């Protein structure tokens, strides 16, 4: 097992390296440079600025410099916010995104699995139809439609919750962003869970368990849940990526000072180093998470040999 | 046992009538699809939306980029000709929604086609050649899989500027991964079939076998998947446009309209509701059609 985990984590390194390399060289070979939007500078000033950010050196040297700093966890200076490094800006923004994202992720898995199981156990009753048509709506409606509608109903109409802002992460400021972010994933997970649960409940070992006279809840929790949850586990990777990506939209709509907001502003202001740094950060997170999901899958599924 | 001549003839003619015409897989699928009410209704609605989006802008007296400072945030009404009202610059929302629909649908369809072409060929090649090549190609796919693609596309947009062609390419290039996996799986089971061996024996080249024998046989599943891909392409483009990183003003798309609408929904709700309604309906319909096609083409799952 340890060997498998080690091997899986090692496999993540070339992936990350490809991401860094491709992103870096795209940035260097893009037309114009980060400072081309500003007033045309006197050549000397320009040369000075380029020297400060190391842009005067050959591209290969820049690349290895960037890698060297990256290994030390340094994402370099921001090209736009002159007095800040990308690290400082990320350090302020990451907790916000992490808090919302983690809450949405955990709640989505919990509700998705329970509602999916419920629908499967009550297959073809009104409850099943109700939950599944709800899930269909939830899958189709994108977060950038859902979130404004939520604001319209709960902030502007009913005045129950604030329409935006962060306020140090107070609960009432988190409710709408989290709902806006997780609805799609609750729905997807519920649909996957229902399908696999129905399949598992029809298998022989469940019939045996019922013949032994075990209670329904015992069967579901102790026998059915583990095999039925496997498709959900393999969906966790894409869901994680989706929630990180979704944070971009949600943070823009609700004006939250997180990674997504930072990323969009970086893109709109053409802050190259910020966008590059965040892409690599998110890439690293995603790749690590995918590795964790693979390991988790191997732990849960007894059929996998490593 | 006396069988008169007439009786025998009657039985024979009855048997002739009874002889059922053989139906191909596609005929079967078409029948099943036509019987699926949700899918049929969705298909009709989609056709209507497509026609409206293409013809509609010509029916209005306004152009999509005509600003009218005397008619900002005008509510929808039949008399003024602003059927869906106007936006914050006095531009007619009916025409803009339909123009946005053109862009969104076009991105959706083209993205799906690009993804289909790359994915099918990549998957079929990888699965058919097998061995080292297959391992290498799948390894590359795995690497691409763990890319946070939305971020990568925004990165591209940042470096190269906003450009609808770039968005097409980026979206198409991102979305073929699943398609390649599915096609590869199908190809693996196909390539041991007798007719492929027969083609081998006849001296058909590998490339010809892939394009003439493998690809047509995986087409069913590819079509289903492509239909389900269109809504996600539309979403992808809307996502970028919503962030202001997609199409550029004065051109618009449903995502861009939703962004404007969500900013002014307190005073002009229609600016959010019309584009949202169009987009959500389209997404729903594509999903139903895709599900219907899957049920129709997958005989196991009846």
């Amino acid at each position: 097992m340890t060997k498998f985990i080690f091997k899986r984590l090692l496999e993540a390194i070339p992936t990350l390296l490809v991401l860094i390399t491709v992103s870096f060289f795209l940035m260097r070979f893009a037309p114009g440079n980060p400072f081309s939007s500003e007033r045309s500078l006197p050549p000397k000033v320009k040369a000075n600025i380029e020297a400060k950010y190391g842009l005067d050196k050959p591209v290969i040297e820049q690349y290895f410099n960037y890698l060297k700093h990256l290994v030390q966890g340094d994402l370099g200076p921001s090209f736009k916010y002159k007095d800040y490094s990308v690290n400082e800006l990320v350090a302020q923004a990451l907790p916000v995104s992490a808090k919302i994202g983690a809450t949405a992720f955990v709640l989505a898995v919990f509700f998705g699995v329970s509602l999916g199981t419920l629908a499967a156990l009550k297959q073809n009753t009104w409850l099943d139809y109700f939950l599944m048509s709800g899930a269909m709506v939830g899958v189709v409606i994108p977060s950038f439609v859902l979130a404004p509608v939520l604001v319209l109903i709960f902030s502007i109409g009913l005045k129950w919750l604030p329409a935006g802002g962060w306020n140090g992460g107070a609960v009432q400021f988190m409710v709408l962003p989290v709902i806006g972010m997780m609805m799609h994933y609750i729905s997807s997970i519920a649909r996957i869970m229902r399908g696999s649960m129905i399949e598992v409940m029809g298998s022989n070992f469940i019939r045996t368990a019922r013949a032994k006279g075990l209670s329904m809840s015992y069967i579901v929790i102790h026998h059915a849940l583990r095999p039925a949850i496997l498709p959900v586990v393999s969906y966790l990777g894409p869901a994680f990526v989706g929630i990180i990506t979704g944070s971009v939209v949600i943070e823009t709509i609700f004006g939250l000072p997180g990674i997504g907001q930072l990323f969009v502003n970086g893109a709109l202001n053409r802050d190259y180093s910020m966008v590059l740094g965040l892409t690599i950060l998110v890439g690293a997170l995603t790749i690590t998470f995918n590795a964790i999901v693979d390991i988790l899958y191997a732990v849960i599924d007894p059929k996998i040999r490593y | 046992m006396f069988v008169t001549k007439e009786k025998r003839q009657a039985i024979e003619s009855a048997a002739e009538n009874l002889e059922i015409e053989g139906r191909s897989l596609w005929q079967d699928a078409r029948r099943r699809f036509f019987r699926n009410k949700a899918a049929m209704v969705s298909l009709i609605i989609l056709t209507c939306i497509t026609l409206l989006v293409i013809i509609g802008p010509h029916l209005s007296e306004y152009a999509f980029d005509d600003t009218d400072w005397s008619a900002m945030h005008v509510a929808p009404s039949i008399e003024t000709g602003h059927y869906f009202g106007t936006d914050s610059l006095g531009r007619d929302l009916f025409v803009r929604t339909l123009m946005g629909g053109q862009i969104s649908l076009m991105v959706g369809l083209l993205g799906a086609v690009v993804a289909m072409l790359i994915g099918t060929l990549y998957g079929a090649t990888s699965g058919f050649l097998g061995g080292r090549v297959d391992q290498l190609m799948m390894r590359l796919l795995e690497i691409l899989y763990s890319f946070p693609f939305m971020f990568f596309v925004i990165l591209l947009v940042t470096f190269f500027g906003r450009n609808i062609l770039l968005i097409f390419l980026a979206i198409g290039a991102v979305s073929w991964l699943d398609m390649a996996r599915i096609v590869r799986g199908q190809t693996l089971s196909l390539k041991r079939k007798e007719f492929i061996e027969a083609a081998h024996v006849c001296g058909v080249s590998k490339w010809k076998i892939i394009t003439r024998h493998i690809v047509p046989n995986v087409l069913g599943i590819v079509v289903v998947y492509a239909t389900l891909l269109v809504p996600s392409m539309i979403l992808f483009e809307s996502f970028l446009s919503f962030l202001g990183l997609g199409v550029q003003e004065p051109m618009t798309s449903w995502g861009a309209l939703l962004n404007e609408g969500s900013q002014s929904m307190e005073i002009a709700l229609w600016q959010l509701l019309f584009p949202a309604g169009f987009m959500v309906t389209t997404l729903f319909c594509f999903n139903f059609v895709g599900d219907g096609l899957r049920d129709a083409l997958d005989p196991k799952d009846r």
Side-chain angles (χ1 to χ4, degrees):
Chain A
M1 187 70 199
T2 329
K3 203 177 150 197
F4 171 76
I5 294 176
F6 189 67
K7 194 175 146 234
R8 187 62 193 79
L9 288 176
L10 264 188
E11 275 174 6
I13 293 173
T15 315
L16 193 58
L17 204 64
V18 170
L19 174 68
I20 295 169
T21 313
V22 170
S23 311
F24 184 87
F25 282 101
L26 273 176
M27 175 171 99
R28 282 296 170 261
F29 292 128
N33 77 30
F35 308 106
S36 57
S37 59
E38 291 172 26
R39 279 178 297 128
S40 61
L41 300 162
K44 270 202 171 150
V45 178
K46 198 166 175 232
N48 260 338
I49 290 181
E50 288 191 342
K52 187 189 167 198
Y53 292 109
L55 296 175
D56 52 344
K57 299 196 183 80
V59 177
I60 295 293
E61 202 184 323
Q62 289 182 34
Y63 172 66
F64 283 110
N65 262 337
Y66 192 80
L67 273 187
K68 207 172 82 193
H69 283 129
L70 208 58
V71 172
Q72 295 159 358
D74 180 10
L75 295 170
S78 161
F79 285 173
K80 212 74 198 178
Y81 305 97
K82 297 267 154 55
D83 296 331
Y84 293 95
S85 71
V86 174
N87 281 44
E88 286 167 340
L89 291 167
V90 168
Q92 285 173 12
L94 194 59
V96 176
S97 296
K99 196 170 171 188
I100 293 187
T103 316
F105 190 74
V106 170
L107 288 180
V109 172
F110 176 75
F111 283 116
V113 168
S114 3
L115 292 177
T117 308
L118 197 64
L121 295 180
K122 306 277 176 198
Q123 195 191 353
N124 296 334
T125 62
W126 64 269
L127 186 67
D128 180 27
Y129 294 135
F130 173 74
L131 286 176
M132 281 306 113
S133 42
M136 181 79 196
V137 175
V139 166
V140 169
I141 292 186
S143 58
F144 48 87
V145 173
L146 180 65
V149 172
L150 285 175
V151 170
L152 198 67
I153 297 172
F154 293 103
S155 309
I156 298 168
L158 298 168
K159 296 198 169 29
W160 286 353
L161 295 160
W166 179 235
N167 204 13
V171 175
Q172 68 267 34
F173 285 85
M174 277 181 60
V175 177
L176 288 185
V178 167
I179 293 179
M181 202 181 263
M182 74 181 178
M183 279 322 271
H184 178 85
Y185 299 97
I186 289 189
S187 309
S188 307
I189 291 175
R191 277 161 62 117
I192 296 170
M193 191 66 199
R194 176 181 177 272
S196 72
M197 188 54 114
I198 286 175
E199 208 178 308
V200 169
M201 289 309 277
S203 53
N204 290 337
F205 73 97
I206 296 293
R207 198 179 52 199
T208 309
R210 293 174 79 157
K212 284 196 297 186
L214 298 176
S215 75
M216 205 56 192
S217 55
Y218 188 90
I219 292 175
V220 169
I221 295 169
H222 288 88
H223 292 283
L225 203 56
R226 189 161 143 174
I229 212 166
L230 281 173
V232 173
V233 172
S234 53
Y235 178 71
L236 289 184
F240 180 79
V241 176
I243 282 192
I244 289 192
T245 316
S247 71
V248 176
V249 160
I250 294 292
E251 284 171 17
T252 310
I253 294 173
F254 290 99
L256 307 173
I259 293 287
Q261 177 98 273
L262 212 56
F263 191 71
V264 172
N265 285 337
L268 290 171
N269 292 326
R270 308 196 73 183
D271 187 345
Y272 285 28
S273 57
M274 172 69 82
V275 172
L276 184 63
L278 284 179
T279 307
I280 290 170
L281 177 73
V282 170
L285 281 177
T286 314
I287 290 164
T288 317
F289 191 81
N290 278 332
I292 293 174
V293 166
D294 278 359
I295 293 166
L296 195 66
Y297 201 92
V299 170
I300 295 179
D301 189 355
K303 276 181 263 172
I304 287 187
R305 300 259 178 276
Y306 30 82
Chain B
M1 208 52 154
F2 294 103
V3 182
T4 58
K5 204 181 173 195
E6 295 91 78
K7 268 192 184 166
R8 205 170 60 213
Q9 272 177 346
I11 290 172
E12 271 171 7
S13 70
E16 260 167 39
N17 288 336
L18 268 177
E19 206 170 297
I20 301 166
E21 214 179 301
R23 270 185 280 147
S24 73
L25 171 78
W26 290 95
Q27 280 171 323
D28 243 4
R30 194 162 59 222
R31 276 170 58 96
R32 277 199 290 270
F33 185 75
F34 281 146
R35 261 193 238 139
N36 186 337
K37 284 205 191 77
M40 281 313 286
V41 171
S42 302
L43 194 64
I44 294 167
I45 296 177
L46 271 183
T47 317
C48 293
I49 290 181
T50 314
L51 287 178
L52 186 65
V53 152
I54 294 169
I55 302 168
H58 302 293
L59 300 179
S60 173
E61 53 188 303
Y62 303 99
F64 74 96
D65 53 355
D66 276 353
T67 50
D68 181 357
W69 301 106
S70 62
M72 295 188 305
H73 295 303
V74 169
S77 85
I78 302 289
E79 293 110 64
T80 54
H82 295 299
Y83 308 120
F84 291 180
T86 60
D87 69 1
S88 54
L89 295 173
R91 292 177 295 196
D92 182 59
L93 205 63
F94 175 71
V95 178
R96 282 184 75 72
T97 305
L98 298 185
M99 287 305 287
Q102 275 185 20
I103 296 284
S104 290
L105 284 178
M106 199 165 72
V107 171
L109 292 175
L110 274 180
V113 168
V114 172
M116 210 167 95
L117 285 178
I118 304 180
T120 311
L121 280 181
Y122 193 94
T125 311
S126 172
F128 184 71
L129 294 180
R132 276 275 161 80
V133 184
D134 181 38
Q135 264 179 19
L136 202 72
M137 286 174 93
M138 281 302 115
R139 194 81 203 96
L140 182 70
L141 207 64
E142 263 166 44
I143 291 181
L144 290 175
Y145 241 107
S146 38
F147 265 40
F149 259 112
M150 188 61 76
F151 282 72
F152 195 69
V153 169
I154 298 180
L155 183 99
L156 284 180
V157 173
T158 313
F159 296 161
F160 293 97
R162 279 180 282 166
N163 182 336
I164 191 85
L165 195 73
L166 181 74
I167 293 172
F168 276 144
L169 280 178
I171 292 178
V174 166
S175 47
W176 57 272
L177 302 174
D178 285 318
M179 185 75 91
R181 274 204 173 174
I182 294 168
V183 171
R184 175 177 172 270
Q186 294 282 314
T187 310
L188 282 181
S189 65
L190 270 179
K191 80 171 177 187
R192 295 274 163 254
K193 292 268 164 70
E194 288 83 357
F195 71 96
I196 302 289
E197 270 170 37
H200 247 314
V201 173
C202 293
V204 183
S205 74
K206 280 185 175 167
W207 173 248
K208 266 275 166 61
I209 292 183
I210 291 173
T211 51
R212 297 292 287 276
H213 296 283
I214 303 270
V215 169
N217 275 296
V218 296
L219 217 55
I221 198 156
V222 167
V223 167
V224 172
Y225 192 72
T227 325
L228 293 170
L229 210 59
V230 175
S232 60
M233 297 293 97
I234 293 179
L235 270 181
F236 201 115
E237 188 278 331
S238 307
F239 183 97
L240 284 178
S241 293
F242 185 87
L243 297 173
L245 296 165
V247 292
Q248 267 177 311
E249 287 284 324
M251 214 21 174
T252 190
S253 81
W254 284 338
L257 288 170
L258 283 171
N259 184 23
E260 289 163 25
S262 65
Q263 279 162 12
S264 55
M265 64 184 173
E266 284 171 66
I267 49 167
L269 190 55
W270 61 88
Q271 289 177 19
L272 179 67
L273 291 189
F274 284 113
F278 265 86
M279 188 165 124
V280 171
T281 313
T282 310
L283 295 180
F284 257 113
C285 290
F286 268 112
N287 275 307
F288 279 125
V289 171
D291 283 351
L293 278 177
R294 190 184 52 206
D295 294 346
L297 283 168
D298 188 1
K300 281 193 307 224
D301 201 46
R302 249 181 301 168

